[in-house]
Amino acid sequence: MSRWMIEKRGVKHIALMSRRTLVQLEQPSNPQYDDWLKLKRTAKQYNAHVDVVQADVTNFQQVHDLIERFQKTSYPICGIIHSAVVAEDRTLGNLTQEHLSLVLSTKFRAAWYLHQATQLLHAPIHFFIMFSSIRNHLLEVASAGYNAGNQFLDALAHYRFEKLNLRALSISLPAVSGAGMFHRHKEMLSTLKVTQGFELMPTVTIFEIIKCFHQTQRICPCPVIFAVNWQILHRNYPTLATSYLRKVVHQRYKEMKFDHISSSGKNNSTKSSMNKKETIIERTQSAVARLLGAASVDRSLVSQGMDSLAPVSLYNWLGLETGIYIPLVDLLQGLSIETIATIIYNKLNEKEQTTSSAIKEYDSDFDLINENEVQL
Ligand SMILES: NC(=O)c1ccc[n+]([C@@H]2O[C@H](COP(=O)([O-])OP(=O)(O)OC[C@H]3O[C@@H](n4cnc5c(N)ncnc54)[C@H](OP(=O)(O)O)[C@@H]3O)[C@@H](O)[C@H]2O)c1
């Protein structure tokens, strides 16, 4: 995020809090070593300064002293991004007091101290962003501590906003590709992606969306960001923890055109027309034209000016229109309309073949039963 802020938002000074020292960050054994090297290069290229400040964000005195120290410079802290986390899932049977307080305090104690210290020191805060997670909206037995911590962030955002009229955003993030804990621990992704249908979202897309939420935080202090295969999520309806998400999933599922395709004669013709590659190209092209202006079929969409937000709309449109979800990270590579259409065409054909072989199997089973009945 620091890199994006420097490159895209022109930020010149960042104070990066970590329990580790600069010397420790510089060790190749540091799991975030590559990210750190990239950040150093970006800072140098854009003439920006990144101060690594060793401080434990769950220690009020250290947080207070750090903010106070910057108050005395010509670069006082003017925005907070609280992204500290200790991610360690445990089922209730394995939960200890020590483990719970480590996971919880990195979320809620830290957020509260950042809030209190900036208030006490009258820091000129323009943004106060906290990162929560989509996992809060799902029933996951091992993430109780993590979810409770995130829940507090939402409460704090409401409190700051409603009671104190202060800026605040608690943003529920999906699994992010390109950086962060899910990127380092791909095994953590399996539940979210395979069983729940959530997409890995690229960092740049997330940051662009955060920028939009920053501008509209008065309307929505606790937004949830995700891209999902609604078909899979709908299948997991009972595992959705919040009634709000359940309502959205239900609504979306009802809107999905492909849901009705198989059940109505009228829509069967839509299906067969969508099965024609030219039709797919034509419809994808007009959707892309709506998003990006005129689009040529065989050139990469990135080379035609697609930014990091348009793929999210395209992802949704394709999913709702065809039932095929092309991973966001692939769309961001800048596939051409022709390639997208080919992927969709092939996947629709695959689906159709699977369905027709299932029907054939059913028919032959049925014939067998009938034969047996006759013999009886
Ligand atoms: N990455 C994702 O896909 C994803 C998805 C959903 C939500 N989120 C949320 O997004 C935020 C950022 O996640 P991430 O993936 O960037 O995590 P990350 O790569 O694991 O980074 C977390 C950072 O927190 C710091 N930290 C932990 N305890 C601290 C403490 N007591 N004092 C100071 N720093 C502390 C760690 O630095 P040191 O070890 O050096 O102290 C570490 O660099 C988290 O709130 C997470 O819940 C992330």
Side-chain angles (χ1 to χ4, degrees):
M1 185 154 198
S2 302
R3 282 210 315 273
W4 177 81
M5 287 170 81
I6 294 171
E7 280 176 19
K8 304 284 183 212
R9 310 296 300 156
V11 171
K12 290 292 177 204
H13 290 268
I14 291 178
L16 215 52
M17 264 173 104
S18 163
R19 290 163 300 178
R20 287 170 288 175
T21 60
L22 179 58
V23 176
Q24 286 170 310
L25 279 187
E26 297 272 352
Q27 301 294 322
S29 55
N30 163 18
Q32 290 147 314
Y33 181 65
D34 289 342
D35 288 331
W36 168 242
L37 288 187
K38 283 187 208 155
L39 175 57
K40 270 206 319 187
R41 271 199 297 275
T42 308
K44 195 169 171 207
Q45 187 186 349
Y46 288 83
N47 205 17
H49 300 274
V50 179
D51 281 311
V52 175
V53 199
Q54 189 189 21
D56 184 339
V57 74
T58 64
N59 179 313
F60 179 74
Q61 203 53 50
Q62 291 184 21
V63 173
H64 181 276
D65 292 352
L66 185 148
I67 295 171
E68 193 174 43
R69 180 145 54 88
F70 277 93
Q71 297 272 85
K72 292 175 185 154
T73 69
S74 41
Y75 310 108
I77 301 287
C78 63
I80 299 282
I81 295 177
H82 170 29
S83 67
V85 61
V86 171
E88 223 194 289
D89 285 358
R90 283 200 190 180
T91 49
L92 289 182
N94 295 316
L95 210 57
T96 61
Q97 176 79 37
E98 195 190 14
H99 167 266
L100 190 60
S101 58
L102 185 69
V103 171
L104 268 176
S105 62
T106 321
K107 286 281 180 182
F108 85 82
R109 204 180 284 273
W112 184 245
Y113 288 166
L114 288 164
H115 161 72
Q116 275 192 317
T118 47
Q119 283 290 94
L120 278 172
L121 292 162
H122 305 291
I125 294 295
H126 296 293
F127 56 90
F128 193 99
I129 297 174
M130 299 168 283
F131 287 141
S132 175
S133 169
I134 182 70
R135 296 175 75 198
N136 266 43
H137 300 269
L138 310 169
L139 286 178
E140 287 190 0
V141 283
S143 61
Y146 179 68
N147 289 2
N150 283 329
Q151 203 72 48
F152 178 81
L153 304 185
D154 285 1
L156 179 59
H158 274 292
Y159 173 68
R160 280 180 62 93
F161 173 66
E162 302 276 352
K163 300 277 178 211
L164 308 177
N165 198 23
L166 294 171
R167 288 177 172 268
L169 268 178
S170 169
I171 306 176
S172 289
L173 294 181
V176 180
S177 73
M181 55 186 185
F182 277 108
H183 187 70
R184 290 194 305 278
H185 303 286
K186 301 236 164 36
E187 72 284 354
M188 287 167 70
L189 271 175
S190 57
T191 337
L192 276 178
K193 189 163 169 63
V194 181
T195 51
Q196 311 273 16
F198 285 99
E199 277 292 333
L200 198 60
M201 287 186 75
T203 45
V204 275
T205 308
I206 298 275
F207 300 150
E208 290 296 335
I209 296 175
I210 292 176
K211 191 179 80 186
C212 302
F213 283 129
H214 174 64
Q215 281 149 6
T216 55
Q217 59 190 283
R218 300 240 160 247
I219 315 165
C220 180
C222 301
V224 186
I225 302 176
F226 63 90
V228 74
N229 181 325
W230 295 101
Q231 280 166 302
I232 301 181
L233 194 59
H234 191 263
R235 279 206 296 272
N236 288 288
Y237 199 74
T239 67
L240 305 178
T242 55
S243 57
Y244 179 69
L245 187 58
R246 267 189 244 138
K247 211 166 119 190
V248 175
V249 172
H250 189 66
Q251 185 60 33
R252 277 298 188 150
Y253 195 71
K254 271 201 331 207
E255 283 164 19
M256 286 190 298
K257 294 194 176 134
F258 58 89
D259 181 37
H260 308 291
I261 284 169
S262 51
S263 54
S264 88
K266 174 180 166 283
N267 283 317
N268 267 337
S269 64
T270 317
K271 184 182 180 186
S272 56
S273 73
M274 267 313 261
N275 268 348
K276 287 193 195 113
K277 195 168 168 185
E278 308 79 63
T279 315
I280 296 170
I281 293 183
E282 208 176 281
R283 292 175 69 173
T284 311
Q285 193 175 16
S286 57
V288 174
R290 278 198 304 276
L291 295 167
L292 302 175
S296 100
V297 173
D298 51 0
R299 272 177 51 217
S300 134
L301 291 178
V302 168
S303 74
Q304 297 184 62
M306 181 174 72
D307 63 15
S308 46
L309 281 184
V312 181
S313 310
L314 191 57
Y315 171 89
N316 279 327
W317 181 82
L318 290 170
L320 291 174
E321 193 75 11
T322 68
I324 304 296
Y325 287 86
I326 299 180
L328 256 180
V329 268
D330 292 350
L331 288 176
L332 253 181
Q333 301 293 319
L335 305 177
S336 66
I337 292 177
E338 193 164 20
T339 314
I340 293 172
T342 307
I343 295 173
I344 289 176
Y345 177 75
N346 291 341
K347 291 212 169 182
L348 282 174
N349 276 345
E350 252 170 51
K351 256 188 178 179
E352 204 169 73
Q353 273 165 18
T354 320
T355 316
S356 57
S357 59
I359 291 171
K360 263 188 212 147
E361 219 169 273
Y362 173 82
D363 284 348
S364 63
D365 283 352
F366 194 71
D367 289 347
L368 211 66
I369 292 167
N370 280 346
E371 261 174 42
N372 288 341
E373 271 174 3
V374 171
Q375 279 165 11
L376 281 171

